[in-house]
Amino acid sequence: MSASSNRLVEVGVVLQGGGALGAYECGALNALLELMDEFEAQGRRIALKVVTGVSIGSINAACVVGAKSNADARARLNALWDDLTLETPPFWMQAAQRDLAYFGLPGFYVPRPDFWTAPTWTYVYDTRPLLVTLGRHVDFSALNASPTAFAVTAVEVVTGALRAFVNQPLGKVSATKIEPRHVLASGSLPPGFPWTEIDGMPHWDGGLVDNTPLGLAIDAFSADADVDSMLVVMNLYPLRARLPRNFATVEDRLHELSFGNRLRQDHDTARRVNALVETIDDLAALVPPAALDERLQARLHEARRYKIIDAIVNIDMQDPAATLVPAAQNPADDKDGMRDFSPETVHRRRRDGFKFAHDILRPAFENRWRAADAQSVTTAAGS
């Protein structure tokens, strides 16, 4: 096998927020990490370059990067979601099992007891239990020392600025020593949860501004032409859906469109970005290398990273087949599905997330290497 047919594949992962829908990400991450280990055992070169997340995605991301190996990451993820599964009486109706989370979720949040001060409340639940849970399931020393970039976002309540917290410099963002409170800030969704103070500033859930932090992942990739970049985006909200037929389904669709992947909704912008980068490449090829000073070389490398838009692998948790007619939504995945931590639903989402990711990622990896192997054979035959 030639060097070109076995060039390094850098994998980036983007994890959305969506409350209990994050169980899909747990299953999908298990599939990705298992496939990476399998292909590495076959001699393929793969590196988990970056994991970005927001809200529940930031919690899942912390388990992955805050681990000593892929096997350790899978164990931490699975243990986390075992803890987040709300044990409910099996004879209860599914809706009642889902709504039990209104009364709290052990290890995540509990209702405020000071109901007599309700007129001055700015939140409903106390999320301090999550800090303990994060400390139990995430190795923050490993996370901060990891070669894999970790990035989560939160929005400053007063200024409205979207802020990123990263374990290593990404683009113009300086590194921060990541602690449980940074992950908590990314998941501080109002009005249920309180803001989290970081550096004296109150922060809310980053998903309020951008629920799919693609830019941070793109910034982490190498500009090296000999490295193959693959960005895996785990979409908890469907791009397409059936036409709503009542107020409940209208509200559900509004929720999906608000928190969905905006890049997928704006295909024209994605195409324009790619066309612009290709134009920059074409113009750079006409310039004598000596004329490209260090500043221009750096800007050229930065622009080339955005060609990753062509290398995005989308995994749709609610519409994986993406057939001509949008799939019917599972009733548990409507707008109220964010709080459904019942055993039946969590187990199904973990199982389905694994299957969807496995079925999409295996051929995505294999097709990459198949094309490279074929090109290597053709090159060898012509030499």
Side-chain angles (χ1 to χ4, degrees):
M1 184 179 296
S2 71
S4 61
S5 66
N6 195 28
R7 63 178 179 169
L8 175 66
V9 175
E10 289 184 342
V11 178
V13 180
V14 179
L15 302 172
Q16 291 184 335
L21 294 173
Y24 278 119
E25 294 174 340
C26 173
L29 286 165
N30 267 281
L32 170 64
L33 295 169
E34 283 190 14
L35 285 170
M36 290 178 62
D37 282 344
E38 176 186 333
F39 288 129
E40 282 187 318
Q42 297 172 10
R44 298 296 186 178
R45 299 172 61 222
I46 310 175
L48 185 59
K49 186 66 175 178
V50 57
V51 184
T52 70
V54 64
S55 200
I56 196 68
S58 70
I59 298 173
N60 287 331
C63 285
V64 172
V65 184
K68 294 179 174 63
S69 65
N70 288 346
D72 185 33
R74 295 198 302 270
R76 289 176 181 275
L77 273 170
N78 291 331
L80 169 74
W81 280 94
D82 287 345
D83 279 358
L84 293 183
T85 302
L86 183 61
E87 292 302 325
T88 57
F91 53 84
W92 281 16
M93 293 187 302
Q94 187 58 37
Q97 293 189 34
R98 175 198 66 198
D99 292 343
L100 190 60
Y102 272 131
F103 301 98
L105 181 64
F108 199 150
Y109 59 88
V110 294
R112 291 180 60 164
D114 55 333
F115 57 89
W116 57 89
T117 66
T120 63
W121 283 9
T122 56
Y123 63 93
V124 178
Y125 298 99
D126 181 352
T127 53
R128 284 177 294 182
L130 181 58
L131 294 172
V132 178
T133 298
L134 287 168
R136 184 166 63 252
H137 294 295
V138 179
D139 184 338
F140 281 91
S141 294
L143 186 154
N144 284 294
S146 177
T148 300
F150 169 85
V152 297
T153 59
V155 60
E156 291 185 355
V157 178
V158 177
T159 68
L162 185 65
R163 189 173 176 190
F165 303 106
V166 300
N167 67 338
Q168 56 185 259
L170 282 185
K172 298 179 181 179
V173 183
S174 301
T176 298
K177 181 182 178 182
I178 303 297
E179 300 174 358
R181 62 196 175 96
H182 295 104
V183 180
L184 179 62
S186 183
S188 297
L189 183 64
F193 298 159
W195 57 65
T196 300
E197 286 199 6
I198 305 289
D199 299 330
M201 293 292 289
H203 290 76
W204 273 337
D205 192 308
L208 294 171
V209 176
D210 183 2
N211 202 41
T212 314
L214 287 164
L216 291 166
I218 292 170
D219 284 341
F221 282 112
S222 304
D224 190 342
D226 292 330
V227 174
D228 189 6
S229 299
M230 178 172 159
L231 185 57
V232 179
V233 181
M234 299 187 180
N235 294 289
L236 297 179
Y237 298 96
L239 177 65
R240 309 170 319 133
R242 299 187 177 188
L243 190 67
R245 297 297 182 186
N246 52 48
F247 277 123
T249 53
V250 165
E251 190 175 1
D252 179 36
R253 188 57 179 153
L254 285 172
H255 178 76
E256 292 170 350
L257 295 175
S258 297
F259 287 96
N261 183 343
R262 289 179 175 83
L263 183 64
R264 301 184 72 200
Q265 294 165 339
D266 192 352
H267 300 286
D268 288 341
T269 295
R271 283 192 292 268
R272 285 197 297 270
V273 169
N274 279 336
L276 179 60
V277 174
E278 289 167 3
T279 300
I280 292 171
D281 264 340
D282 291 343
L283 291 174
L286 301 176
V287 178
L292 291 173
D293 60 23
E294 186 175 336
R295 181 183 65 87
L296 288 175
Q297 286 280 11
R299 296 187 70 177
L300 182 59
H301 286 323
E302 181 178 1
R304 283 173 174 160
R305 278 204 297 268
Y306 281 84
K307 291 182 73 174
I308 190 64
I309 292 172
D310 276 338
I312 291 178
V313 177
N314 281 295
I315 301 174
D316 292 313
M317 300 304 178
Q318 295 195 39
D319 188 20
T323 51
L324 185 61
V325 178
Q329 185 181 52
N330 187 296
D333 289 344
D334 64 10
K335 64 180 179 60
D336 297 318
M338 292 178 64
R339 67 173 184 270
D340 191 349
F341 289 90
S342 64
E344 180 182 341
T345 299
V346 170
H347 294 159
R348 176 188 62 80
R349 288 171 176 163
R350 289 170 67 174
R351 180 186 66 246
D352 288 352
F354 183 95
K355 181 181 186 306
F356 299 157
H358 190 275
D359 291 349
I360 292 169
L361 290 173
R362 178 178 286 281
F365 278 118
E366 291 176 343
N367 290 340
R368 256 179 165 72
W369 289 311
R370 188 177 296 115
D373 291 346
Q375 184 178 10
S376 297
V377 170
T378 302
T379 301
S383 61

